[in-house]
């Protein structure tokens, strides 16, 4: 098991462009989470999936953001019409589910909007 | 929004000393987890303590949980330069499956 994998690790994009990030969770983990982290802050919850169902979305997830988890395996996070304020580290985590289980994080995708 | 707050925000100690950091949270929880994050990297899971547990150990780590005070502490004994990182607590809020993170403690261990 190679852990949670995120791709790309770094992304630089021009304002107004669309970007898509991918997360591959630990196999057989049915919960998958997306977080955003800015410099000097703790990770902020964006959304999570139980298998392929998106069960909760933060108000931080504006209509420019969309996340999917087709077939309950990998997930994608798309940001449309990027803004400079979207610059952050986007973290993905997975857990096996059930109460009292650990969430394991990937290395993150660092987005810079210029 | 962030439910937890770590205290202190920053801590600088000499190698070999113990480091203690605290986490306070606001709502009922199922469990609380501690993570370490090296600069610009992902989060590494350190330890999970359930709401019905009061203390847990893992190697040089000791975690306590006081649900009546809605607080937890992480003790790192015999610190090493490699322990230099930011440490976050995360709570699994009762009634949800999401984890809410605190603001973090930046620990610097001087060799």
């Amino acid at each position: 098991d190679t852990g949670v994998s995120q791709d790309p690790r770094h992304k630089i994009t021009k304002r107004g462009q669309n970007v898509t990030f991918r997360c591959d969770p630990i196999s057989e983990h049915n919960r998958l989470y997306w977080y955003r982290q800015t410099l000097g802050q703790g990770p902020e919850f964006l959304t999570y999936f139980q298998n392929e169902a998106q069960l909760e979305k933060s108000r931080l997830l504006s209509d420019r953001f969309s996340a999917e988890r087709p077939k309950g395996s990998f997930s994608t996070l798309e940001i449309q019409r990027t803004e400079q304020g979207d610059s952050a580290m986007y973290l993905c985590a997975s857990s096996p589910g059930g109460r009292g289980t650990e969430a394991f994080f990937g290395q993150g995708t660092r987005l810079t909007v210029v | 929004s962030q439910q937890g707050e770590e205290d202190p925000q920053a801590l600088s100690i000499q190698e070999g000393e113990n480091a203690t950091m605290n986490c306070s949270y606001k709502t009922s929880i199922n469990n609380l987890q501690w993570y370490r994050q090296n600069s610009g990297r992902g989060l590494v899971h350190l330890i999970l303590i359930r709401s019905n547990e009061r203390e847990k150990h893992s190697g040089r780590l000791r975690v306590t949980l006081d649900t009546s005070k809605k607080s937890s502490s992480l003790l790192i004994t015999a610190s090493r330069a490699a322990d230099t990182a930011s440490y976050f607590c995360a709570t699994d809020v009762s009634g949800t499956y999401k984890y809410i993170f605190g603001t973090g403690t930046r620990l610097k261990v001087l060799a």
Side-chain angles (χ1 to χ4, degrees):
Chain A
D1 192 347
T2 57
V4 178
S5 177
Q6 292 189 245
D7 182 69
R9 293 288 307 279
H10 303 273
K11 179 72 178 178
I12 300 174
T13 191
K14 291 184 178 179
R15 192 173 51 185
Q17 297 293 306
N18 299 343
V19 293
T20 300
F21 310 141
R22 177 180 170 122
C23 171
D24 287 273
I26 294 170
S27 60
E28 299 182 358
H29 277 194
N30 55 30
R31 290 209 190 120
L32 185 147
Y33 304 81
W34 285 101
Y35 285 81
R36 182 174 69 187
Q37 185 179 27
T38 53
L39 199 62
Q41 299 296 312
E44 294 178 297
F45 171 80
L46 292 179
T47 188
Y48 90 93
F49 293 83
Q50 174 89 16
N51 299 312
E52 67 274 10
Q54 188 174 19
L55 296 186
E56 188 168 349
K57 293 190 335 181
S58 164
R59 280 172 286 181
L60 293 173
L61 216 63
S62 75
D63 55 7
R64 296 185 298 106
F65 288 70
S66 63
E68 294 183 342
R69 192 183 182 195
K71 303 177 184 176
S73 56
F74 72 91
S75 176
T76 58
L77 178 68
E78 181 184 16
I79 309 174
Q80 296 182 327
R81 305 181 303 281
T82 51
E83 302 172 354
Q84 286 191 317
D86 297 330
S87 295
M89 175 81 88
Y90 290 84
L91 295 161
C92 177
S94 70
S95 75
R99 299 202 182 274
T101 57
E102 298 90 338
F104 297 93
F105 281 78
Q107 290 296 304
T109 294
R110 181 168 296 284
L111 173 67
T112 302
V113 182
V114 297
Chain B
S1 64
Q2 295 185 297
Q3 119 143 298
E5 287 192 8
E6 279 90 339
D7 171 59
Q9 289 189 333
L11 180 61
S12 186
I13 59 173
Q14 294 291 325
E15 202 166 31
E17 293 181 339
N18 296 342
T20 299
M21 49 205 90
N22 304 294
C23 166
S24 60
Y25 56 92
K26 298 174 185 174
T27 64
S28 296
I29 62 171
N30 298 308
N31 63 68
L32 184 144
Q33 305 182 59
W34 284 91
Y35 289 85
R36 183 186 74 225
Q37 186 177 39
N38 292 89
S39 181
R41 307 291 295 275
L43 290 104
V44 174
H45 186 272
L46 295 176
I47 197 166
L48 177 150
I49 186 166
R50 292 182 172 78
S51 59
N52 61 353
E53 296 175 314
R54 292 295 167 260
E55 188 171 314
K56 204 161 181 180
H57 298 255
S58 176
R60 293 184 296 114
L61 306 180
R62 173 178 168 255
V63 168
T64 62
L65 179 65
D66 187 336
T67 53
S68 67
K69 294 181 180 178
K70 292 186 169 58
S71 67
S72 174
S73 67
L74 171 67
L75 168 67
I76 305 173
T77 60
S79 62
R80 305 166 182 168
D83 295 327
T84 294
S86 291
Y87 291 82
F88 295 93
C89 66
T91 49
D92 175 0
V93 180
S94 295
T96 77
Y97 293 107
K98 64 186 180 186
Y99 300 92
I100 303 298
F101 282 80
T103 50
T105 291
R106 292 182 300 282
L107 173 65
K108 188 169 186 177
V109 181
L110 304 169

